[in-house]
Amino acid sequence: MAGLSSNSDTGSSINIPTIKFTKLFINGDFVDSLSGEEFETIDPRTGEVIARIAAGAKEDIDIAVKASRVAFDHGPWPRMPGAERAKIMMKWAELIDQNIEEIAAIDAIDAGKLYHKCKAIEIPEAANTIRYYAGAADKIHGEVLKPARELHAYTLLEPIGVVGLIIPWNFPSAMFVAKVSPALAAGCTMVLKPAEQTPLSALFYAHLAKLAGIPNGVLNVVPGFGPTAGAAISSHMEIDKVSFTGSTEVGREVMHAAARSNLKPVSLELGGKSPLLIFDDADIDKATELALLGILFNKGEICVAGSRVFVQEGIYDEFEKKLVEKAKAWVVGDPFDPKVQQGPQVDKKQFEKILSYIEHGKREGATLLTGGNRVGNKGYYIEPTIFSNVKEDMLLAQDEIFGPVMALMKFKTIEEAIKSANNTRYGLAAGIVTKSLDTANTVSRSIRAGIVWINCYFAFGNDIPYGGYKMSGFGRDLGLEALHKYLQVKSVVTPIYNSPWL
């Protein structure tokens, strides 16, 4: 069984920060919600309350949108040269770098994320994402066209306007900057709703944005609940675009609300049930490491988790044996302990949902190879869990569990592997482990998914577009494709007379 490790065992001294920002951030100020209502944000290590957060609702979204609209229609941000926006964004990134330890601790206590990984990777990468889009802010160019008629024409790329951003709880920092940074670079203003489970780092980033010089009204952060604050963003007549990351079910509601209101464009990054295909020629040690990383990274709370692992029959038995050995040695415990590889699930609701899927898998007849239980009696920790003998129509193989639960399956031929990989309503990501270039090329072109990793997994980058096929949504975060989500294309045409050339 995976061991439970606690911070007290290591003698490490991490200072848990005092929570400074718990109110709505609207028009450059931290303010109470109009209703005065608050909600609790919970530490998943213990189930205890961290802080009480102002609960934004429709009327608060209205105020935030009004501030954002004034900032867009009359303020300096959309009218600045891109290089000036870039300077302010670079300053914001520097301030994040200066506060890495505090932000990492906030995400650890609010989301159960591993403190040392946040400090070493996730928060520095958040700052680098801002720098990436700052570098693009002065390179937003249209094209000169060559019409077939006697016309001169060119395109302008203009900011789309006021955007609504709704982000999930599993990567509070990465998702915040992935939405905000390209929108800022494009010259947009925005209202962002963080997940109610993890509002703390978003409010901290808003504070740093103001210190960096981002003008009032450009970035507004309104914590609240999906059916109130989220619905108000999706249906608001003065919001020009919505970008949402979350579940497919809620994404459908966002799209409905956008259509029913002002037909605002929507981009959606939704659920996944990603396949990892491991072929007979694979290095088994590397393959088991990638498979475990694929399902256990961030305790399985990641939409591209490699939750369906297909192994070719020639190496299946050896692979299964090594995989189970490594899973049993995986260390679950306090996310502040540097030896720990997996922290707690984000909250009690998610914890109970995952355990219910595990019980359902047993009832469906899958074989539980390892795990399946909670770890300890405090907090929301779950053992790394692997099922074999999973049939493709089982819920284990079809539903996004969003936890450390792997469905392990066997295949014979490359054709069978491709068919099984595509046997899902989702299409977010996929992984391939093989030494054959032919296999890698064939499979990567045959799987219907937005990103395919060959002999690696979770290989993200600021400059690599990321998004889904099928019911995993549409539109892309990261890369220059994300910048274009927040831009309108305007064609400008004039007649030309007596020109020697068309």
Side-chain angles (χ1 to χ4, degrees):
M1 185 180 98
L4 179 67
S5 177
S6 70
N7 194 32
S8 59
D9 295 337
T10 67
S12 60
S13 56
I14 305 295
N15 291 322
I16 305 299
T18 301
I19 303 305
K20 304 184 183 104
F21 308 109
T22 60
K23 298 184 178 184
L24 317 180
F25 185 78
I26 297 177
N27 206 23
D29 292 314
F30 284 100
V31 297
D32 290 314
S33 62
L34 286 179
S35 68
E37 291 184 8
E38 296 177 329
F39 64 92
E40 296 174 343
T41 190
I42 304 296
D43 185 340
R45 301 175 305 155
T46 61
E48 295 169 1
V49 177
I50 305 168
R52 295 187 63 81
I53 309 297
K58 182 181 183 301
E59 58 270 25
D60 303 292
I61 295 294
D62 286 342
I63 294 170
V65 172
K66 184 176 181 182
S68 203
R69 174 56 63 193
V70 170
F72 184 78
D73 289 346
H74 306 292
W77 189 255
R79 293 157 189 83
M80 278 183 194
E84 292 302 310
R85 288 200 295 273
K87 283 181 186 177
I88 295 172
M89 292 175 70
M90 289 290 194
K91 175 64 175 172
W92 189 28
E94 288 173 21
L95 290 170
I96 291 171
D97 281 342
Q98 292 166 21
N99 289 273
I100 279 175
E101 291 187 358
E102 186 167 356
I103 300 169
I106 286 172
D107 276 353
I109 62 171
D110 211 18
K113 299 181 73 67
L114 298 182
Y115 169 78
H116 296 278
K117 284 205 182 296
C118 285
K119 180 182 172 184
I121 301 170
E122 286 189 32
I123 311 307
E125 278 303 306
N128 286 337
T129 297
I130 295 170
R131 292 187 180 98
Y132 174 81
Y133 287 106
D138 61 353
K139 301 170 186 69
I140 298 171
H141 309 303
E143 295 181 304
V144 175
L145 308 176
K146 197 171 186 300
R149 297 169 54 201
E150 292 183 342
L151 301 170
H152 173 62
Y154 59 91
T155 59
L156 296 173
L157 300 182
E158 298 180 345
I160 201 166
V162 177
V163 298
L165 307 172
I166 304 173
I167 63 172
W169 43 257
N170 57 332
F171 283 85
S173 290
M175 289 289 100
F176 183 96
V177 296
K179 305 285 190 195
V180 169
S181 304
L184 285 175
C188 295
T189 62
M190 63 212 70
V191 178
L192 178 139
K193 190 196 89 66
E196 58 268 24
Q197 295 89 342
T198 55
L200 295 177
S201 56
L203 294 169
F204 198 98
Y205 287 128
H207 160 69
L208 296 182
K210 173 150 181 146
L211 293 183
I214 292 177
N216 292 346
V218 172
L219 171 62
N220 303 275
V221 177
V222 183
F225 294 92
T228 49
I233 288 173
S234 304
S235 61
H236 207 289
M237 295 296 290
E238 287 295 317
I239 287 181
D240 301 304
K241 155 88 186 183
V242 171
S243 180
F244 170 82
T245 295
S247 72
T248 298
E249 293 74 22
V250 177
R252 185 181 281 114
E253 293 301 314
V254 169
M255 203 168 172
H256 280 162
R260 287 193 301 263
S261 54
N262 58 347
L263 275 175
K264 62 179 73 64
V266 173
S267 54
L268 304 173
E269 193 263 283
L270 307 174
K273 194 68 179 175
S274 300
L276 175 63
L277 307 181
I278 299 168
F279 290 87
D280 278 342
D281 63 349
D283 179 305
I284 292 182
D285 285 325
K286 179 172 185 172
T288 52
E289 286 171 12
L290 288 177
L292 272 188
L293 173 73
I295 192 58
L296 300 182
F297 177 66
N298 204 50
K299 48 281 180 6
E301 293 175 349
I302 180 166
C303 41
V304 290
S307 51
R308 294 183 300 141
V309 176
F310 299 93
V311 183
Q312 200 160 14
E313 60 184 4
I315 61 168
Y316 179 89
D317 291 341
E318 186 181 354
F319 175 90
E320 182 187 281
K321 181 182 175 185
K322 287 194 173 184
L323 183 72
V324 171
E325 286 174 2
K326 289 182 179 181
K328 287 179 175 177
W330 198 260
V331 183
V332 180
D334 190 311
F336 287 97
D337 183 341
K339 298 198 302 287
V340 161
Q341 296 166 284
Q342 179 185 320
Q345 310 307 139
V346 72
D347 64 6
K348 185 179 181 181
K349 180 181 177 183
Q350 185 64 20
F351 171 78
E352 291 176 346
K353 174 188 170 186
I354 296 164
L355 290 176
S356 73
Y357 268 110
I358 291 170
E359 291 306 309
H360 192 87
K362 294 176 188 175
R363 290 197 302 271
E364 281 190 307
T367 301
L368 180 63
L369 294 176
T370 186
N373 302 302
R374 76 176 296 171
V375 179
N377 53 19
K378 185 179 183 182
Y380 308 127
Y381 300 90
I382 295 178
E383 291 176 326
T385 300
I386 302 171
F387 283 95
S388 65
N389 297 316
V390 178
K391 295 183 170 54
E392 290 186 40
D393 59 352
M394 290 181 178
L395 288 186
L396 285 176
Q398 289 296 323
D399 282 12
E400 183 179 42
I401 297 172
F402 225 63
V405 181
M406 178 193 295
L408 184 60
M409 292 168 272
K410 189 187 299 185
F411 70 90
K412 292 182 179 181
T413 65
I414 188 171
E415 293 78 16
E416 182 187 339
I418 291 166
K419 183 179 178 182
S420 294
N422 286 328
N423 183 20
T424 172
R425 60 189 178 274
Y426 297 114
L428 200 52
I432 303 165
V433 188
T434 180
K435 293 174 184 171
S436 165
L437 183 60
D438 288 341
T439 299
N441 282 336
T442 299
V443 177
S444 60
R445 282 160 172 75
S446 302
I447 292 178
R448 301 195 64 222
I451 188 166
V452 179
W453 291 299
I454 300 170
N455 295 326
C456 58
Y457 211 82
F458 298 134
F460 290 109
N462 300 325
D463 43 8
I464 300 172
Y466 166 66
Y469 284 29
K470 299 191 282 188
M471 289 183 72
S472 290
F474 47 85
R476 294 294 180 266
D477 286 325
L478 303 177
L480 291 181
E481 278 80 0
L483 185 68
H484 288 271
K485 293 197 304 190
Y486 303 105
L487 294 165
Q488 293 271 32
V489 179
K490 177 185 285 181
S491 296
V492 181
V493 185
T494 63
I496 52 174
Y497 303 99
N498 304 316
S499 170
W501 314 106
L502 276 181

